[in-house]
Structure formats: structure tokens, C-alpha cells
Amino acid sequence: MSFDFPTFLVAATFLTGGIWLLDAMLWAPKRRRLAAAAASSPGEGGEAAAGGDKEPVLVEYARSFFPVILVVLLLRSFVVEPFRIPSGSMMPTLLVGDFILVNKFSYGLRWPVLNSKFLDLGEPERGDVIVFRFPRDESVDYIKRVIAVPGDQVYYRDKTVYVNGEPLEQVPLGEYVDDQGRPTGLVEAIEEVDGGGEHEILINPRTGDFPRSCRVLAGGPVTVPEGMYFVMGDNRDNSNDGRCWGFVPEENLVGKAFAIWMSWDGSRGGFPIAFGRIGDVIH
């Protein structure tokens, strides 16, 4: 079972904040009254009064951790969230071990845990690299590229994407060589996004358009429903994407990936950190 970090953050914020608030409203005034009464009493009580209003350890920890946890919760929920790339489905744009930053307000602000939008700030555009909760298992986050938006007709044939009847043009770059300098047999190409912009993709010329389980577009053009998005991986023949399971609902959006802040993969030969990828902007 995956760890639900957003729920943990919300619970920890309410717990530490609640303890701090209860202490400020109820327990601290009582401690101060008792300490004042003890200080005014003769004998041993007056000597003990100096430590009579000391905070309990639990309250001290809650007061220390509450602002830190609250700031993390606000930043992670409404500003930026880090993710790690676990697979090669977005090669060559993103490699296994890349740590990326995701803009949480590009597509509107959502309440943590509930995931309901309370402020609309924009919608995904063709070519955006997005993180979303996988429609078939919403405890899992996926990252793919938006190929078609609501109302678009999309089709995939001969390794080419067609949007509204027009092919996304590809410019072959030759065989793809991985980050270790090894030839892969895959063809690297620049794909021009319908509406502007471009990105790199990988194609395996030795395979068909669709694996057995990926038949959503096999019968012809499909229209993207309202409130839905069609996504694909840049590593076209090694990606579990919309060709296999359909569309991403708008309510499943997490945010827009925009930068790589670290790239670490222990399986790489030599030094595991790819310093040349740190700071790269995601297109």
C-alpha cells in the first residue's frame, strides 16, 4: 500500500496546531495561575514556582513543528511539488532517476486530500507535460504529455499522431544513444506539437503501433470528451498511456512539470548523479 503523504501532512498540521491552540487557550493560563499562586505562598511552594509554568514536552514539540509542517503543506499543495521519475516512458525528455518539480497552480488550485478545485487558473494545452492521478488507480501518479484536449479528434497510425485530421510532423534525428553512450536501436525524432512548440520522442521501428492491450485508437479517430485529456509518453513504444486506458479526467490533474532539480540513478555506470541534467527546463 502506498504512503498517503498529503493526508499525513494535513493530519499532522491539525494535530500539532490543535495541541498548540489548546495549550494557548486552556492549559497555559492554568499553569500560569498555579505558578502565580505557588509563588505567593510561603515555604517550599515559592521555591518551586520558578518552574511551575514550564511547557509540557508534547506542547513544546507541537509548537516547534506546527509552522514547519504548515509551510510544507501550503507549498506542496498550492505552489510546487517534487516527484521522481520511476520509468523510461518519457525518454528522452525525462530519464529514470530524474527528480522533477511540478507547478501546482498552473491548472487551478485544489484542496489537499479532497482534490477539488476552488480556483480556476488555466487548463492543460497540447504539448504540456503533466502529472496526474492514474484513472485506474488514483493512489498512483503518472507523468505523460498532453496530445489532445477536449473536443479534439485523435488517431495514431504508422508511428504518427493525428490531431483533428492533421499529422504531428516528425523530424528524424537518427538512432538514440542513451546517457551512457550506448546505442539503443530506437529512432529519436523531433515532434512538432499542433498549435506550436516541439519536443523529442523515441520510436521503435521494429514494433507495431499498438501492443495487444493498447487498442483505444486502433479502430479510428476518437473524440476527446469534455473535461478529459488524451496523453502519451514520449517513449512511444514503451509507454502505458492513453492508447491503453483512454482519457485523463480534469479532476485527476496534479500539475505541470517544469524543471529537473536533481538526476540520480544508482544503476547508471560510473557516478550516479547526472549533473548536466540538473536545472533543465522540461519542454
Side-chain angles (χ1 to χ4, degrees):
M1 183 175 65
S2 60
F3 179 63
D4 192 345
F5 191 58
T7 300
F8 166 77
L9 278 179
V10 171
T13 301
F14 275 99
L15 179 62
T16 55
I19 292 173
W20 189 12
L21 181 62
L22 285 173
D23 180 71
M25 296 179 63
L26 302 176
W27 304 329
K30 183 178 180 180
R31 289 199 306 273
R32 287 193 290 269
R33 288 195 301 269
L34 292 175
S40 63
S41 300
E44 296 181 0
E47 298 173 1
D53 61 346
K54 184 178 180 181
E55 276 185 343
V57 173
L58 178 63
V59 174
E60 185 178 353
Y61 276 116
R63 180 171 55 83
S64 299
F65 283 113
F66 171 70
V68 177
I69 297 173
L70 178 61
V71 168
V72 172
L73 174 65
L74 293 176
L75 287 176
R76 190 182 185 277
S77 299
F78 305 126
V79 183
V80 66
E81 183 176 357
F83 287 88
R84 182 181 185 275
I85 302 302
S87 74
S89 69
M90 282 296 292
M91 292 171 57
T93 306
L94 298 171
L95 305 181
V96 175
D98 283 349
F99 290 80
I100 65 170
L101 296 175
V102 173
N103 185 325
K104 297 299 292 287
F105 56 84
S106 290
Y107 308 133
L109 297 180
R110 300 174 186 272
W111 296 114
V113 180
L114 299 176
N115 297 311
S116 56
K117 185 187 293 187
F118 64 89
L119 182 61
D120 192 0
L121 297 175
E123 300 294 341
E125 298 178 353
R126 301 185 195 100
D128 286 359
V129 177
I130 65 170
V131 172
F132 56 93
R133 290 177 287 114
F134 183 39
R136 292 187 176 179
D137 182 359
E138 295 191 354
S139 67
V140 178
D141 291 318
Y142 268 33
I143 182 167
K144 304 292 178 187
R145 189 179 299 277
V146 176
I147 299 298
V149 298
D152 284 344
Q153 278 196 338
V154 61
Y155 185 44
Y156 189 66
R157 183 180 64 206
D158 298 330
K159 310 293 185 180
T160 301
V161 179
Y162 292 79
V163 178
N164 298 323
E166 296 295 327
L168 301 190
E169 298 295 336
Q170 296 177 7
V171 179
L173 299 178
E175 184 178 15
Y176 175 67
V177 178
D178 68 16
D179 58 333
Q180 300 300 308
R182 297 169 299 197
T184 62
L186 304 178
V187 175
E188 185 174 9
I190 293 177
E191 183 176 75
E192 298 180 2
V193 181
D194 183 29
E198 58 185 32
H199 54 266
E200 294 182 7
I201 63 172
L202 294 181
I203 293 171
N204 187 346
R206 299 182 301 276
T207 65
D209 286 344
F210 300 97
R212 287 184 178 180
S213 59
C214 299
R215 310 296 294 177
V216 171
L217 304 183
V222 173
T223 300
V224 182
E226 193 64 33
M228 298 282 192
Y229 296 88
F230 182 79
V231 299
M232 295 176 68
D234 288 349
N235 191 355
R236 290 291 159 79
D237 297 297
N238 187 25
S239 175
N240 178 26
D241 54 36
R243 293 169 294 176
C244 304
W245 39 261
F247 307 103
V248 177
E250 191 276 338
E251 58 265 25
N252 284 44
L253 298 178
V254 173
K256 179 180 179 180
F258 68 93
I260 299 171
W261 65 271
M262 173 57 72
S263 184
W264 177 296
D265 183 6
S267 65
R268 290 174 183 155
F271 200 67
I273 300 178
F275 289 102
R277 298 186 61 77
I278 298 176
D280 281 358
V281 176
I282 299 172
H283 296 289

